[in-house]
Amino acid sequence: MAKKNDTQSSDRPAEENRTLLKVIELLESVYCTDDLEKIKVAVKDGQPGIEPRARAEIYKIVRFLLDEAGFHKEFLQLRETIHTASERMDSMLSEMTRGDLGQFLAQGTLQTRYEKEHPAPKKCVARFVAQNFLNSKKNSPLNQSPISCFVQASVTSIHLACELTDNHVAITPGSLFYTNSIAFPLILLQQRDDISVYTLCGTGYDSLCGGWFPDRDDQDAREHLKSLFKREKNPLRDAILTPIAVAVTSEHVELFFTRQEIVEMVNIMVDCSSRLILMSFRSRIFNSRDEATQNFMNTTLHQVKPTDWNSKSPAPILVVADDEKDIRTEQEWKETVRRLSQQGFEVYWQDAQSKWHHTKRLQDRQQADPPQNAAEKE
């Protein structure tokens, strides 16, 4: 005859007493009494009806630690420290949304670029993208559905995050953002609790753009990025990119970034995304590769793979803010826009009077006009 296990004499406590035993052992590591030791043995043995006695002893010891052993004062000090730290964090995040990231960004390249390198046009192009392509208050059907996009790390994407926290921009609940930016999630998530923001990290960090990137040998990371756009459930659709330079001729348009690792990420997004949105400003749009290279003599430019932009559907969108460093006349600039349109881009651009214009790519001009937007059609 098989002998039935006797739970009363087992070396292991019953399942319902294991949590209680863990609490006793934790308390025992701080302060122990003879009664607590006896209760611990009883709990281990599975003695019935021990729970009320155990809880009473635990309560007595906790009250002693707080009141008589001097822990109460330390507890209050700890709570005050946590409260102060929380207030400082809230203050820092509020400053971030106002555009002052000095409390957040470490002194160095990224903070200097954010504060001093073309802040006005970067903020301007970020505002246009936020209000016209990511704003559910707009009439476009694309804007009514939840956003599902990847935002490439850049100083301009920091401005974009700030603009997306503005009360004039309504983000559809359930929207999904992925980014390799260190700043974008912290700025956006503090005021948007009905969206999701995930980061794509890597072993490398680019101080120019404030973004992580995977090592060039990390094929798993690149496959993961592809899978985000190709998965069956809630795939990413859009890619918002910020090239350091754009070279446009009558034959091709070339996009440049400052690291080959970033280019490899961009190549994936060019192939896999449903819609490309590029943010730039006029003095970053060049009429040749040589002109772009000469402008960045101290920076190595890495080119996105050659692409037939006219074959992309829908057309890639290039949003270009005006800036005072662009020395072209308005007529010369319009010729640059015409070449961009001829090579397959839909262009939203700002003139010297800060007025926005819209030029569709040439092969699409016989089709219906795009959804309502803030730009005048050319």
Side-chain angles (χ1 to χ4, degrees), residues 91-103:
S91 175
M92 180 194 75
L93 292 174
S94 297
E95 290 179 0
M96 289 164 62
T97 57
R98 293 196 299 269
D100 179 11
L101 298 187
Q103 301 297 320

Side-chain angles (χ1 to χ4, degrees), residues 122-266:
K122 289 177 180 177
K123 181 178 179 65
C124 184
V125 71
R127 178 181 296 132
F128 188 90
V129 169
Q131 293 182 349
N132 292 278
F133 296 106
L134 305 177
N135 186 6
S136 63
K137 292 181 179 179
K138 287 293 179 178
N139 295 329
S140 167
L142 284 174
N143 292 336
Q144 303 304 314
S145 59
I147 299 164
S148 182
C149 75
F150 190 99
V151 179
Q152 174 231 329
S154 65
V155 173
T156 308
S157 72
I158 297 176
H159 288 285
L160 179 63
C162 294
E163 294 299 325
L164 289 174
T165 63
D166 190 275
N167 291 331
H168 295 93
V169 177
I171 303 178
T172 303
S175 291
L176 171 65
F177 294 88
Y178 268 81
T179 182
N180 63 321
S181 168
I182 63 169
F184 188 90
L186 291 173
I187 297 171
L188 194 54
L189 284 176
Q190 62 156 325
Q191 292 192 15
R192 302 286 185 178
D193 58 4
D194 56 354
I195 65 172
S196 298
V197 184
Y198 293 90
T199 55
L200 185 75
C201 303
T203 57
Y205 174 72
D206 186 354
S207 60
L208 282 174
C209 68
W212 293 289
F213 57 84
D215 185 82
R216 295 188 65 181
D217 295 329
D218 192 347
Q219 185 60 30
D220 289 342
R222 285 187 286 277
E223 289 300 323
H224 174 61
L225 179 57
K226 290 180 185 178
S227 71
L228 295 176
F229 288 92
K230 294 186 174 296
R231 62 191 182 187
E232 291 185 8
K233 184 178 180 181
N234 201 14
L236 299 183
R237 294 188 301 270
D238 301 338
I240 301 177
L241 309 176
T242 315
I244 191 78
V246 178
V248 50
T249 69
S250 59
E251 298 178 351
H252 49 73
V253 174
E254 299 174 340
L255 308 180
F256 296 94
F257 293 82
T258 56
R259 298 192 70 99
Q260 184 59 38
E261 295 90 346
I262 301 296
V263 165
E264 292 175 4
M265 294 175 64
V266 170

